[in-house]
Amino acid sequence: MLTRRTIAFAGLMFALVCLLYAESQVAVKLPLLSGSVRFAVIGDSGTGSTEQYEVARQLEAHRQVVKFDFVIMLGDNIYGGHSPDDFQRKFEVPYKPLLDAGVKFYASLGNHDDPNIERLYKPFNMNGERYYTFKRGDAQFYALDSTYMDARQLTWLEQNLRTSNARWKICYFHHPLYNDGKMHGPDLDLRNQLTPLLKSYGVNVVFSGHEHAYERLKPQGGIYYFIQGDSGKLEHHDFHRSESMQTSFDRDRTFMLVEIQGDDLHFQTVSRVGETVDSGVLSKPQETSGARAAGK
Amino acid sequence: MLIAVVLTAIAACRTGIAQKPPTAGTADAAVADDFEARVKRYLDFRQQRIGVPPKPTDNPAKILARQQEMGDKIRVARAGAKQGEIFAPAIAQYFRKQIAESFAGRYGNAIRASLAHAEPVKVELQINQSYPPNQPLQSTPPTLLLNLPELADGLEYRVLNRELVLRDAQGNVVIDYVPNALPESVK
């Protein structure tokens, strides 16, 4: 008969082996500095497909090492229907280990999302709003609804950007302002309306999805743009190269890990099979031209 | 709610984000006022008959059930509603004019490009129908939105085909639409 102590010991050993296994399987390129802000980024994730689950497993393996405590979602969080079963298959089950570990997800809305269901779904932390802001450490995050950028939202954004004294201002929303993908390309009208605000009020980084691939652009007007719309969906051979492209990846699904400390933002983009496809460090705006980003 | 809309509009005007309202005393101003009054009547009816949206919850079944309930109440209360009850002919014409101005303006090409890059949704529109739950929501180009009368929370404009839809977002119901709102060149 096994004693409780034996079972507890076995459980502890199993957890330790899992942790060691996870650490041996992941190659983290972030510095993991004390007191830094660490988060993950997923976009266009909610397919319920095997590939989404595989990305989710990598995400969890990396969480065990990186210890990020929140994830930002770039829209298309739930494709297709929005029944309770859909929420389970496309969110709750694949990300269960993260949710169980207390990781918070902060969703933004894509064109496949139902705003009036998802904004009320507590695990997406939208608090009933289509757009909202939150702060972690030195970074202020702005989750926007790019499917419906009306005067009210633009005014809200302007007011909140103006009054923020955060060292890093990070916007994320579904439709990319810059993008070299063939499937969708940039949303030019959104760019015309949004860019003046982002520039005027010192936004440093923008994350978007929609295009089902990964791209990092050269800074545009002093702002770093990432496209990360392939955590569930994927469009193979999606890009045509342009002057604005820094690097891209469209051969597999990915997610991003980000760490902010002081004036540096470290990032690492990881594929479904754990390969690092891009990594580097970006510096605050005044050092924009000297950004030390280095793709793998 | 009306106060919130007014305050937002004032703030938006201060920042230069919102559209300029039509000059008082003009035919456009009268039409815009008529539209505002019709929307207010709808919102009053909605508040009295439909109630408030649900609070955030962990349970999507509860959210869905409440959305369905709100949609059903709207459909029952507006049974027999026809196209044009809010977008009466003169209002529809005003909207077409505003939209045409947006397309003819300096961001016209960007609006066209944004619409062209969207995922097209082909739906035969009917008043009181639900927006099809499995279809993507067509993004509404911001420049178009900025040139249209602002709506209270819970209502929204959506572009579908060439139509401009007024949608009750909380109940997911098509309240009315402007036929052929977008220029013919937009497919």
Side-chain angles (χ1 to χ4, degrees):
Chain A
M1 184 74 85
L2 290 171
T3 63
R4 275 190 188 171
R5 190 178 289 181
T6 311
I7 293 169
F9 181 72
L12 191 65
M13 286 298 103
F14 179 71
L16 194 61
V17 168
C18 285
L19 185 63
L20 290 172
Y21 177 76
E23 288 194 358
S24 69
Q25 294 298 300
V26 301
V28 172
K29 294 187 180 287
L30 306 179
L32 307 184
L33 300 166
S34 170
S36 61
V37 175
R38 300 176 200 171
F39 62 98
V41 186
I42 57 175
D44 301 67
S45 54
T47 59
S49 65
T50 304
E51 292 84 357
Q52 181 196 358
Y53 280 64
E54 287 167 347
V55 169
R57 275 197 283 276
Q58 284 292 340
L59 200 53
E60 167 58 9
H62 283 75
R63 184 199 64 78
Q64 292 190 22
V65 180
V66 174
K67 311 283 186 212
F68 61 81
D69 60 0
F70 67 104
V71 178
I72 62 171
M73 303 174 80
L74 307 180
D76 289 358
N77 315 307
I78 306 286
Y79 280 96
H82 282 69
S83 69
D85 176 61
D86 288 307
F87 277 89
Q88 275 192 0
R89 285 190 303 108
K90 300 166 187 175
F91 178 71
E92 291 166 8
V93 175
Y95 305 120
K96 186 174 187 307
L98 291 115
L99 291 163
D100 288 347
V103 172
K104 285 197 161 192
F105 287 74
Y106 292 94
S108 61
L109 296 165
N111 56 314
H112 286 268
D113 295 311
D114 186 327
N116 294 291
I117 295 178
E118 293 188 29
R119 69 178 172 170
L120 296 169
Y121 178 58
K122 261 189 184 170
F124 282 176
N125 287 295
M126 302 180 77
N127 205 22
E129 305 293 341
R130 286 194 297 119
Y131 44 88
Y132 58 99
T133 181
F134 62 96
K135 194 173 181 197
R136 289 297 180 96
D138 280 343
Q140 186 86 40
F141 293 82
Y142 303 85
L144 306 179
D145 177 4
S146 60
T147 75
Y148 201 77
M149 189 62 67
D150 59 355
R152 188 178 297 135
Q153 184 175 185
L154 287 166
T155 303
W156 173 90
L157 179 62
E158 182 179 38
Q159 288 168 347
N160 279 274
L161 284 172
R162 192 192 323 126
T163 53
S164 170
N165 56 5
R167 185 182 284 190
W168 288 87
K169 293 179 182 176
I170 297 173
C171 287
Y172 63 100
F173 47 86
H174 189 60
H175 296 84
L177 305 186
Y178 296 90
N179 160 27
D180 293 298
K182 293 174 195 161
M183 192 173 89
H184 291 299
D187 191 320
L188 299 179
D189 192 46
L190 190 66
R191 185 198 292 177
N192 287 336
Q193 296 296 344
L194 213 45
T195 308
L197 287 183
L198 306 185
K199 281 185 185 171
S200 298
Y201 296 107
V203 170
N204 313 111
V205 184
V206 172
F207 294 98
S208 297
H210 200 43
E211 194 76 36
H212 297 155
Y214 169 78
E215 181 178 11
R216 174 162 57 90
L217 292 118
K218 292 173 186 165
Q220 303 292 312
I223 301 172
Y224 296 105
Y225 289 89
F226 289 90
I227 313 301
Q228 217 277 309
D230 61 354
S231 302
K233 291 257 184 181
L234 176 65
E235 189 75 16
H236 284 276
H237 310 298
D238 188 42
F239 288 111
H240 46 77
R241 288 206 71 84
S242 80
E243 277 297 305
S244 59
M245 178 188 282
Q246 187 78 60
T247 188
S248 67
F249 182 74
D250 55 8
R251 297 192 305 278
D252 202 350
R253 288 147 180 88
T254 69
F255 62 94
M256 286 183 73
L257 301 166
V258 181
E259 179 176 5
I260 297 173
Q261 174 74 298
D263 284 342
D264 288 338
L265 180 149
H266 304 263
F267 65 91
Q268 179 179 1
T269 306
V270 181
S271 80
R272 180 177 56 99
V273 295
E275 180 193 4
T276 296
V277 300
D278 191 20
S279 65
V281 53
L282 311 176
S283 298
K284 274 275 292 167
Q286 58 268 31
E287 292 122 22
T288 290
S289 58
R292 309 184 301 276
K296 186 190 166 194
Chain B
M1 182 175 284
L2 194 61
I3 292 169
V5 172
V6 170
L7 286 175
T8 307
I10 291 168
C13 289
R14 207 184 307 139
T15 58
I17 287 170
Q19 67 143 349
K20 269 198 272 178
T23 311
T26 62
D28 277 356
V31 173
D33 287 349
D34 186 16
F35 172 72
E36 201 175 301
R38 287 167 190 254
V39 168
K40 186 178 179 309
R41 276 202 295 277
Y42 174 78
L43 290 170
D44 290 344
F45 140 81
R46 192 172 176 282
Q47 196 170 13
Q48 289 160 12
R49 303 281 290 272
I50 313 303
V52 294
K55 291 202 163 66
T57 167
D58 288 328
N59 186 350
K62 276 189 188 167
I63 307 168
L64 272 170
R66 180 69 182 126
Q67 186 187 66
Q68 185 68 42
E69 183 193 355
M70 290 173 84
D72 288 346
K73 280 186 179 175
I74 293 168
R75 275 182 279 275
V76 168
R78 297 186 79 234
K82 292 186 172 58
Q83 190 281 319
E85 290 197 359
I86 289 180
F87 292 120
I91 296 173
Q93 202 48 41
Y94 170 71
F95 271 74
R96 289 189 194 99
K97 183 168 77 74
Q98 293 297 107
I99 291 169
E101 279 175 12
S102 299
F103 275 90
R106 65 179 174 138
Y107 294 145
N109 287 337
I111 299 173
R112 282 175 204 280
S114 291
L115 287 170
H117 288 167
E119 291 170 50
V121 179
K122 295 290 175 195
V123 177
E124 200 173 321
L125 272 174
Q126 285 175 4
I127 302 301
N128 275 349
Q129 76 179 117
S130 297
Y131 189 94
N134 293 343
Q135 294 286 340
L137 269 179
Q138 176 90 290
S139 308
T140 315
T143 304
L144 271 191
L145 287 175
L146 297 178
N147 212 22
L148 298 177
E150 201 172 336
L151 293 171
D153 201 20
L155 291 180
E156 63 182 27
Y157 300 112
R158 291 283 173 182
V159 172
L160 258 180
N161 316 320
R162 282 181 55 213
E163 276 63 70
L164 183 80
V165 174
L166 179 64
R167 175 175 177 255
D168 187 314
Q170 285 162 359
N172 187 26
V173 177
V174 172
I175 301 304
D176 203 352
Y177 62 92
V178 180
N180 299 323
L182 273 60
E184 208 169 342
S185 55
V186 178
K187 296 293 179 194

